[in-house]
Amino acid sequence: MQIVVARNRAELGSWVAGQAAAELCKIIAEHGDASLLVATGSSQFEVLDALCRHDEVPWDQVTGFHLDEYVGLSPDHPASFCRYLRERFVDRVTLKRFHFLRGDGDSTMTASETGERLHSHGQGRPPIDVALVGIGENGHLAFNDPPADFETKEPYLVVRLDAACRRQQVGEGWFSDIAAVPEFAISMSIHQIMQSARIFCSVPDERKAEAVQRSVEGPVTPLVPASILRTHGALTLVVDLAAASMLSRVIIDQAIEL
C-alpha cells in the first residue's frame, strides 16, 4: 500500500485525478477501452471535479460503474447518488456508457443485473481497471458497514446501513435527520472492489482520522472494513493533513508528501 499525504482537499483531488487519468489513458492505449468505478460522498468532490478537466482521456472509450446507492430513493432525490454522479461526473464527460444503480426499483434485481453487466464487461481482464473509493467515518468501504462480509463473491449486495453510517450522511448534509436516511443500500461487495486492477482511496477531513488510523495500523478485520485495502497489490491511499493526523510517525515518514 502506498500512502500519499496532501496538504488540503484541493491538492488531494488534483493529484488523484491526475493519477487516475494517466492510468485510464495507459489502459486505453493498451486495450482500446477502460472501466472506471466511481464513488460518491463529500470525499470525492475535488477528485471528480478535477478528473472531468482531464480532456486528454478518451472518455468515449471509458465505461463507468456505480459503487453504491440508497434503496428507495429516486434518481432525482437530492441525496441520490445517481443524481450526484450525473451532476458531478457523467454529464460533464462523454462516456462510452455508465451503469447506474437505481435505488427506486427492485433492489435485489438491480444488484443482480448490474453484477452481470460488470462481469460480462471484463472479458478476461479485471472488470474494473481503475477504482475510486473512500473510507467512511465508521471504517466502511462503499456501504459495507462493520462487520463487513469479506467472503461473499456476489458483486453487488443489498446491505443494511448502521447508525454510525446514517449519522454521517446527516452530518454531511445529505439528509435533514437520521430518520430520513434510508436503512438499506445497494453496494458493491468487498470482494468485488478488491478485484479492481488499480485502487485510489481518497480520504480528506479530520473526522475521518480515526478510521484512517484503524484502517492503516490496526488489524485487518471486518470490524474495520477498509482495513482490507492493505492487502491489495495496487492500492494508493491519499489523505490530507487532517485525515492523516492520527497516523504514527513511522507511517508518516514512509508516506509520500505532496
Side-chain angles (χ1 to χ4, degrees):
M1 177 176 64
Q2 179 187 58
I3 299 177
V4 175
V5 181
R7 286 171 292 183
N8 50 52
R9 291 180 64 111
E11 188 175 63
L12 180 156
S14 178
W15 190 88
V16 172
Q19 296 294 309
E23 193 73 18
L24 290 169
C25 287
K26 175 184 174 183
I27 293 163
I28 292 168
E30 292 176 354
H31 299 287
D33 64 356
S35 55
L36 175 68
L37 178 65
V38 189
T40 54
S42 66
S43 67
Q44 304 300 311
F45 287 165
E46 291 81 6
V47 174
L48 293 180
D49 183 60
L51 185 58
C52 290
R53 302 177 192 277
H54 280 273
D55 296 333
E56 76 277 16
V57 178
W59 290 111
D60 60 349
Q61 296 304 314
V62 176
T63 297
F65 286 91
H66 187 166
L67 182 66
D68 49 20
E69 178 61 289
Y70 300 105
V71 168
L73 294 193
S74 76
D76 294 321
H77 189 284
S80 165
F81 289 148
C82 287
R83 177 172 177 171
Y84 174 113
L85 289 169
R86 285 200 317 270
E87 294 178 348
R88 296 181 179 275
F89 182 61
V90 178
D91 287 351
R92 294 180 60 189
V93 295
T94 306
L95 296 169
K96 186 175 184 178
R97 65 178 60 87
F98 193 90
H99 296 289
F100 286 101
L101 292 169
R102 287 189 60 126
D104 59 346
D106 183 322
S107 55
T108 301
M109 183 177 295
T110 297
S112 176
E113 291 178 348
T114 309
E116 290 175 3
R117 295 188 192 105
L118 178 68
H119 283 171
S120 65
H121 178 77
Q123 298 180 345
R125 289 159 49 197
I128 299 297
D129 293 306
V130 178
L132 303 177
V133 302
I135 296 175
E137 293 176 24
N138 64 352
H140 73 206
L141 182 57
F143 267 143
N144 298 287
D145 288 332
D149 188 339
F150 280 6
E151 304 302 324
T152 182
K153 302 299 191 294
E154 291 296 324
Y156 284 94
L157 307 170
V158 177
V159 297
R160 182 186 290 272
L161 305 182
D162 71 11
C165 173
R166 296 171 71 210
R167 284 194 297 270
Q168 177 181 330
Q169 311 315 310
V170 175
E172 291 185 1
W174 303 109
F175 297 92
S176 58
D177 55 62
I178 195 168
V181 184
E183 293 187 27
F184 293 91
I186 305 166
S187 176
M188 183 174 280
S189 68
I190 295 288
H191 173 81
Q192 189 63 61
I193 294 169
M194 294 294 287
Q195 301 310 299
S196 304
R198 188 80 170 84
I199 302 178
F200 294 96
C201 182
S202 305
V203 194
D205 301 336
E206 187 176 6
R207 62 193 172 86
K208 301 285 188 73
E210 182 178 358
V212 168
Q213 190 276 332
R214 294 176 68 201
S215 297
V216 172
E217 301 189 60
V220 175
T221 169
L223 297 176
V224 185
S227 64
I228 200 170
L229 290 171
R230 284 157 41 200
T231 68
H232 193 279
L235 179 280
T236 301
L237 172 65
V238 191
V239 293
D240 65 1
L241 289 171
S245 61
M246 292 183 66
L247 291 175
S248 68
R249 188 74 254 169
V250 171
I251 295 295
I252 293 296
D253 288 343
Q254 294 173 348
I256 298 170
E257 296 189 34
L258 299 182

